[in-house]
Amino acid sequence: FMYDGLIWIPFPGLYPEPEKKFKQIRDMECRDSDVFLCSFPKAGTHWTHEILSMLLSGSVQYNQYNTIENMLEADSTLDKINSAPSRRLLITHLPYKYLPEQLQNGTGKIVYVQRNPKDLHVSMYNHLKGKGIMKEGTTWNEFIDQIFTGKLKMLGGWFQFSKDWEIEINIKKNILPLYYEEMKQDGTGNILKTAEFLNVPCKNEFAMEVADQCSFDKLKNNKLDYTALLDKNRKSTLFRKGQVGDWKNWFTVAQNECFDALYDDEMKSSNLMFTFEQ
Ligand code: A3P
């Protein structure tokens, strides 16, 4: 649905009273111990969430709840989140400017995960299709065309979303940026870095265990996809392929050239560096 000039995902708590909801989020009380996991959808949110949850609990158990329960924009009143004990691990796909004011002013920590936009858009297409959110029969060509023409700018579109976050990452000390591709390449190193940022004890062996327990195959086979339970066909799209470079199986040569040209134009003021293949 449209609000504030942007296309939003109709999360149950956000719709149908977005104005009230955004005010609640803006005014929310944050705590120094809070951890906010922020991302554009399909950047690796659930994977990172599992890692953060293990780091905060100090155990390699998978969490037993649907991530949507801890999502700012999906909690209909924020009552549950407001009364939750510390340390809270909260999730959001909100563009930076909609975050709680106290968080923007430095109360609480943010882990921001990002992913190369070619794989991200492929993942998005498969997710929207798998969940039946997209019009029945929409092809990849039709989907990516809507990205090129600017018709499908979910959350303002990946480009604007990422540029806005980049500005904040460069000036705020309470944000740790993670890259999906780096996490794939050096899981343990990124877990140790994250533990240090969150000030939680984490020995090398524990970081290795977390990386292993959160590997794509283990998550896909062992972790219950709670969102699939809400689905009538119970299809999991959260753990689909988990690869860097899957975009090559989807983009035609012409689409790839078009995307590169769009990227160069949109991101000319950006210093973000993504890995597109491994
Ligand atoms: P693909 O659709 O490319 O497979 P989000 O959690 O933000 O919705 O992101 C989902 C994407 O992260 C999916 O990408 C999913 O397969 C991938 N993913 C989930 N767990 C992963 C893991 N342990 N390692 C690598 N990718 C993972």
Side-chain angles (χ1 to χ4, degrees), residues 120-266:
L120 179 139
H121 280 100
V122 167
S123 183
M124 177 74 71
Y125 170 70
N126 282 288
H127 180 71
L128 295 178
K129 204 173 157 188
K131 288 268 171 270
I133 297 171
M134 223 156 35
K135 211 167 80 203
E136 180 85 18
T138 306
T139 63
W140 161 254
N141 289 349
E142 286 164 347
F143 171 80
I144 199 67
D145 236 34
Q146 291 192 38
I147 302 296
F148 293 149
T149 55
K151 275 194 195 133
L152 184 62
K153 281 195 175 177
M154 194 192 288
L155 300 168
W158 180 88
F159 295 100
Q160 195 57 51
F161 186 99
S162 302
K163 283 186 286 189
D164 290 347
W165 267 94
E166 184 186 6
I167 292 169
E168 304 301 332
I169 289 166
N170 287 335
I171 53 175
K172 300 276 166 71
K173 287 202 167 59
N174 66 335
I175 308 177
L176 174 73
L178 293 178
Y179 286 85
Y180 179 104
E181 295 77 17
E182 286 179 8
M183 287 164 65
K184 283 272 311 179
Q185 201 165 40
D186 178 16
T188 308
N190 276 279
I191 289 167
L192 287 167
K193 182 168 76 177
T194 307
E196 196 183 334
F197 172 74
L198 298 178
N199 264 325
V200 293
C202 179
K203 296 220 167 78
N204 210 39
E205 299 76 57
F206 181 66
M208 282 162 72
E209 266 183 69
V210 172
D212 178 58
Q213 196 69 351
C214 294
S215 68
F216 179 75
D217 288 342
K218 290 223 169 139
L219 282 183
K220 188 175 175 74
N221 294 324
N222 304 332
K223 171 86 174 86
L224 182 62
D225 175 354
Y226 288 90
T227 65
L229 296 178
L230 306 171
D231 236 12
K232 46 180 184 326
N233 54 9
R234 310 230 155 167
K235 202 171 158 205
S236 172
T237 51
L238 292 184
F239 309 110
R240 188 188 62 95
K241 214 162 173 186
Q243 288 177 0
V244 179
D246 183 39
W247 62 269
K248 290 184 181 170
N249 297 314
W250 295 82
F251 281 72
T252 63
V253 173
Q255 284 168 347
N256 190 35
E257 283 172 4
C258 196
F259 197 95
D260 285 345
L262 180 64
Y263 187 98
D264 288 347
D265 183 41
E266 286 275 1

Side-chain angles (χ1 to χ4, degrees), residues 66-86:
N66 184 347
T67 44
I68 209 161
E69 289 171 35
N70 288 343
M71 189 167 224
L72 295 189
E73 56 270 43
D75 183 307
S76 55
T77 58
L78 286 184
D79 282 353
K80 220 174 126 216
I81 284 177
N82 285 335
S83 59
S86 298

Side-chain angles (χ1 to χ4, degrees), residues 2 8 10 27 34 39 46 51 67 70 88 98 108 112-113 145 175 203 205 223 227-228 231 268 270:
M2 290 292 294
W8 296 87
D27 297 344
D34 284 342
S39 64
H46 291 81
I51 292 172
T67 44
N70 288 343
R88 297 182 299 186
Y98 297 94
Y112 176 70
V113 61
D145 236 34
I175 308 177
K203 296 220 167 78
E205 299 76 57
K223 171 86 174 86
T227 65
D231 236 12
K268 50 181 177 288
S270 162

